[in-house]
Coordinates of all heavy atoms in Angstrom, one line a residue:
A50 N -32.6 -160.2 -123.3 CA -33.2 -159.8 -122.0 C -34.7 -160.2 -122.1 O -35.3 -160.4 -121.0 CB -33.0 -158.3 -121.8
G56 N -41.9 -164.0 -122.1 CA -41.9 -162.9 -121.2 C -40.6 -162.6 -120.6 O -39.6 -163.3 -120.9
E57 N -40.5 -161.6 -119.8 CA -39.2 -161.1 -119.3 C -38.9 -161.8 -118.0 O -39.7 -162.0 -117.1 CB -39.4 -159.6 -119.1 CG -38.1 -158.9 -118.7 CD -38.2 -157.4 -118.7 OE1 -38.8 -157.0 -117.6 OE2 -37.9 -156.7 -119.6
H58 N -37.6 -162.2 -117.9 CA -37.2 -162.7 -116.6 C -37.2 -161.6 -115.6 O -36.9 -160.5 -115.9 CB -35.7 -163.3 -116.8 CG -35.3 -164.1 -115.6 ND1 -34.7 -163.5 -114.5 CD2 -35.3 -165.4 -115.4 CE1 -34.4 -164.5 -113.7 NE2 -34.8 -165.7 -114.2
P59 N -37.5 -161.9 -114.3 CA -37.5 -160.9 -113.3 C -36.2 -160.1 -113.1 O -36.2 -158.9 -112.7 CB -37.9 -161.6 -112.0 CG -38.4 -163.0 -112.4 CD -37.9 -163.2 -113.8
S60 N -35.1 -160.7 -113.5 CA -33.8 -160.1 -113.3 C -33.6 -159.0 -114.4 O -32.7 -158.2 -114.2 CB -32.7 -161.1 -113.3 OG -32.6 -161.7 -114.6
A61 N -34.3 -159.1 -115.5 CA -34.0 -158.2 -116.6 C -34.2 -156.7 -116.2 O -33.4 -155.8 -116.6 CB -34.9 -158.5 -117.8
G62 N -35.3 -156.4 -115.5 CA -35.5 -155.0 -115.0 C -34.3 -154.5 -114.1 O -33.8 -153.4 -114.3
L63 N -33.9 -155.4 -113.2 CA -32.8 -155.0 -112.4 C -31.5 -154.8 -113.2 O -30.7 -153.9 -112.9 CB -32.6 -156.1 -111.3 CG -31.7 -155.8 -110.1 CD1 -32.1 -154.6 -109.4 CD2 -31.7 -157.0 -109.2
L64 N -31.3 -155.7 -114.2 CA -30.2 -155.6 -115.1 C -30.2 -154.2 -115.8 O -29.2 -153.6 -115.9 CB -30.1 -156.7 -116.1 CG -28.9 -156.7 -117.0 CD1 -27.6 -156.9 -116.2 CD2 -29.1 -157.9 -118.0
R65 N -31.4 -153.8 -116.3 CA -31.5 -152.5 -117.0 C -31.1 -151.4 -116.1 O -30.4 -150.5 -116.5 CB -32.9 -152.4 -117.6 CG -33.0 -153.0 -119.0 CD -34.3 -152.6 -119.7 NE -35.5 -152.7 -118.9 CZ -36.2 -153.9 -118.8 NH1 -35.8 -155.0 -119.4 NH2 -37.3 -153.9 -118.1
L86 N -28.6 -158.4 -108.2 CA -29.1 -159.3 -109.2 C -28.4 -160.7 -109.1 O -29.1 -161.7 -109.1 CB -28.8 -158.7 -110.6 CG -29.4 -159.5 -111.8 CD1 -29.6 -158.5 -112.9 CD2 -28.5 -160.6 -112.3
K89 N -29.8 -162.3 -105.8 CA -31.2 -162.7 -105.8 C -31.5 -163.7 -106.9 O -32.4 -164.6 -106.7 CB -32.0 -161.4 -106.1 CG -33.0 -161.0 -105.1 CD -33.8 -159.8 -105.6 CE -34.4 -159.1 -104.4 NZ -35.2 -158.0 -104.8
Y90 N -30.9 -163.6 -108.1 CA -31.2 -164.5 -109.2 C -29.9 -165.1 -109.7 O -29.4 -164.9 -110.8 CB -31.8 -163.7 -110.3 CG -33.0 -162.9 -109.9 CD1 -32.9 -161.5 -109.7 CD2 -34.2 -163.5 -109.7 CE1 -34.0 -160.7 -109.4 CE2 -35.4 -162.7 -109.3 CZ -35.2 -161.4 -109.1 OH -36.3 -160.6 -108.8
A93 N -30.2 -166.9 -113.1 CA -30.8 -166.1 -114.2 C -29.8 -166.1 -115.4 O -28.6 -166.2 -115.1 CB -31.1 -164.7 -113.7
P94 N -30.3 -165.9 -116.6 CA -29.4 -165.8 -117.7 C -28.4 -164.7 -117.6 O -27.3 -164.8 -118.1 CB -30.3 -165.6 -118.9 CG -31.7 -166.1 -118.5 CD -31.7 -165.9 -117.0

Side-chain angles (χ1 to χ4, degrees):
E57 189 175 78
H58 191 276
S60 65
L63 193 55
L64 181 64
R65 276 194 304 279
L86 187 151
K89 243 185 198 181
Y90 307 105

